[in-house]
Amino acid sequence: MNLVRQFSTTRRVLSHIGGAPIRYSSEVKIEHLPTQFSTTDARFFNKTTLKVSGPLGHRLMPIEPFVKLQFSEHDRESEVLVSVHDSQEKKQRQMWGTTRA
């Protein structure tokens, strides 16, 4: 019996979900508000608010200060592109994909 260990020489591939734009219809309205997400919970003091409104209701979401949102509008569809200030910093890379999801 031949017992040879196989090692992979391919490079590890990281997720690129954060770089994909979020497309949404004209029925949905997304606003990035400069106000604090919460004034009573210390975890959210330095976070801004993202407000999403649509036919099914509305939702508020905290946004980290290093997350950048770029909005663009097309004919019947709009999109948001999520990015971070420093993609080399681990915490920012983690929140990049989490915020987009």
Side-chain angles (χ1 to χ4, degrees), residues 42-62:
R43 295 175 300 166
F44 302 113
F45 282 171
N46 67 340
K47 298 179 183 180
T48 57
T49 304
L50 184 72
K51 181 179 180 182
V52 180
S53 303
L56 300 177
H58 74 279
R59 177 67 118 184
L60 299 176
M61 179 180 159

Side-chain angles (χ1 to χ4, degrees), residues 7-11:
F7 292 100
S8 175
T9 58
T10 58
R11 212 176 110 200

Side-chain angles (χ1 to χ4, degrees), residues 1-5:
M1 184 183 276
N2 189 3
L3 297 175
V4 178
R5 289 184 70 182

